[in-house]
């Protein structure tokens, strides 16, 4: 276990046996999930152990935020080059620019909502949608009604009705408030997958789901400085792999859930690798 302070989760040997009343803990004990959790922990520790992190962590955090927003926007149809995102100051010109603007706003907002998440996750989700959809003209911050169209072209799964959305959001909220003994990766993957499956808002559900995943990873203590942007990894793995893994989540089978959690874990690892590369560039004086 690293002594850098990056990963606050207890090592597997010190964890309690899975609580049968805690479905997240049950997921954490699935074959394959334990290995994903350990692999993610090692990847995160490598970033936090880098010598540059001791002196310039704020720069790494800022760069990770920019790259994470770019990655999340790419999955929502606005696949811009990083330097174009860095250069641009106006994100109101067209649909793709507005998606980028929403992703950037969400990344900035995520850090302000950490203290609220564990007490009122539904309030946080409403706030995230308000921030994302601020310039869209949509009615923001409330779950959609029956028959209300949903603008989420990436996800083509059957759309749950409003009553199912309400019930499952409440269940997710109660899981977060109650807490879990499972690893942060498992909780983050479930939050992400559930929001994508439900698509509770009329728009921007993918952006909101990936931001909620980020909030869990930061707030859990796994990535407190937010330098391992999973959004980078999700984009790098590609839309096809993302949707195939999401199908596994929606299936609800142990194999499907394991595949989704492993996919999310790989995304975090790739985000960690991205920030390690930034550390190396800074160390060489190349960035």
């Amino acid at each position: 276990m690293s002594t850098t302070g990056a990963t606050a989760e207890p090592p597997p040997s010190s964890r309690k046996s899975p609580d049968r009343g805690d479905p997240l803990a049950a997921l954490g004990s699935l074959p394959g999930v334990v290995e994903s959790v350990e692999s993610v922990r090692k990847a995160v520790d490598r970033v936090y152990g880098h010598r540059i992190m001791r002196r310039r962590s704020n720069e790494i955090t800022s760069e990770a935020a920019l790259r994470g927003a770019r990655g999340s926007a790419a999955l929502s149809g606005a696949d811009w080059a990083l330097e174009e995102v860095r250069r641009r100051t106006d994100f109101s010109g067209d649909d793709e620019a507005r998606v980028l603007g929403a992703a950037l706003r969400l990344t900035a907002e995520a850090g302000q909502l950490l203290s609220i998440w564990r007490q009122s996750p539904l309030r946080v989700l409403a706030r995230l949608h308000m921030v994302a959809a601020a310039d869209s003209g949509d009615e923001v911050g409330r779950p959609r009604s029956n028959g209300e169209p949903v603008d989420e072209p990436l996800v083509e799964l059957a759309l749950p009705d409003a009553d199912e959305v309400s019930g499952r959001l409440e269940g997710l909220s109660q899981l977060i408030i109650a807490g879990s003994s499972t690893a942060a990766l498992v909780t983050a993957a479930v939050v992400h997958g559930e929001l994508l499956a439900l698509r509770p808002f009329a728009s921007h559900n993918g952006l909101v789901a990936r931001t909620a995943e980020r909030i869990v990873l930061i707030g859990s203590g796994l990535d407190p400085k937010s330098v391992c942007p999973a959004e980078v990894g999700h984009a790098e793995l590609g839309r096809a792999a993302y949707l195939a893994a999401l199908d596994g989540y929606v299936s609800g089978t142990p194999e499907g859930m394991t595949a989704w959690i492993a996919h999310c874990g790989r995304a975090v690892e790739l985000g960690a690798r991205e920030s390690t590369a930034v550390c190396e560039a800074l160390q060489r004086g190349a960035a």
Side-chain angles (χ1 to χ4, degrees):
M1 187 73 178
S2 168
T3 58
T4 62
T7 50
E9 297 177 301
S13 60
S14 68
R15 293 185 195 140
K16 297 177 180 179
S17 298
D19 181 351
R20 293 184 181 180
D22 178 357
L24 298 184
L27 288 176
S29 67
L30 288 173
V33 172
V34 173
E35 290 79 3
S36 293
V37 167
E38 287 305 298
S39 185
V40 165
R41 180 179 291 105
K42 290 175 182 177
V44 173
D45 279 352
R46 280 194 291 273
V47 180
Y48 279 83
H50 199 287
R51 61 186 299 179
I52 289 294
M53 280 292 294
R54 292 195 290 272
R55 298 184 286 112
R56 303 175 70 175
S57 64
N58 288 343
E59 293 174 67
I60 308 301
T61 296
S62 295
E63 189 64 20
L66 183 70
R67 295 177 186 227
R70 192 216 74 81
S72 190
L75 284 172
S76 288
D79 192 359
W80 289 18
L82 179 63
E83 291 311 312
E84 176 64 13
V85 180
R86 199 189 305 279
R87 180 191 67 80
R88 185 73 71 97
T89 56
D90 180 8
F91 293 94
S92 62
D94 55 42
D95 288 346
E96 286 195 6
R98 285 190 285 273
V99 169
L100 251 304
L104 289 165
R105 290 193 301 273
L106 285 171
T107 299
E109 187 74 12
Q112 311 303 313
L113 298 172
L114 295 171
S115 63
I116 305 171
W117 174 254
R118 285 295 298 273
Q119 285 74 42
S120 185
L122 296 184
R123 179 180 164 197
V124 168
L125 293 175
R127 174 62 184 169
L128 291 176
H129 186 247
M130 289 178 66
V131 169
D135 61 357
S136 68
D138 296 334
E139 187 171 350
V140 299
R142 62 155 183 84
R144 57 183 168 79
S145 304
N146 278 329
E148 188 174 0
V150 174
D151 180 15
E152 191 59 53
L154 177 64
V155 181
E156 297 180 351
L157 298 167
L159 199 64
D161 66 25
D163 289 340
E164 182 178 350
V165 169
S166 177
R168 286 172 63 176
L169 281 179
E170 182 60 33
L172 182 64
S173 174
Q174 292 304 314
L175 280 176
I176 299 303
I177 292 169
S180 173
S181 61
T182 196
L185 171 64
V186 176
T187 303
V190 168
V191 168
H192 184 171
E194 191 71 354
L195 293 174
L196 276 183
L198 293 177
R199 283 146 291 160
F201 303 108
S203 64
H204 299 87
N205 290 288
L207 294 176
V208 168
R210 290 184 288 275
T211 304
E213 178 184 48
R214 171 185 284 264
I215 287 172
V216 174
L217 294 171
I218 299 169
S220 67
L222 177 65
D223 181 21
K225 293 183 183 294
S226 192
V227 295
C228 303
E231 304 96 325
V232 167
H234 287 303
E236 185 173 336
L237 291 167
R239 291 187 181 190
Y242 189 61
L243 294 178
L246 179 62
D247 284 343
Y249 176 85
V250 172
S251 76
T253 65
E255 297 79 10
M257 296 298 293
T258 296
W260 171 250
I261 294 166
H263 184 88
C264 291
R266 183 59 182 151
V268 176
E269 291 178 47
L270 290 171
R273 187 182 71 178
E274 185 92 350
S275 286
T276 300
V278 172
C279 288
E280 293 294 327
L282 288 171
Q283 187 166 279
R284 294 192 305 268

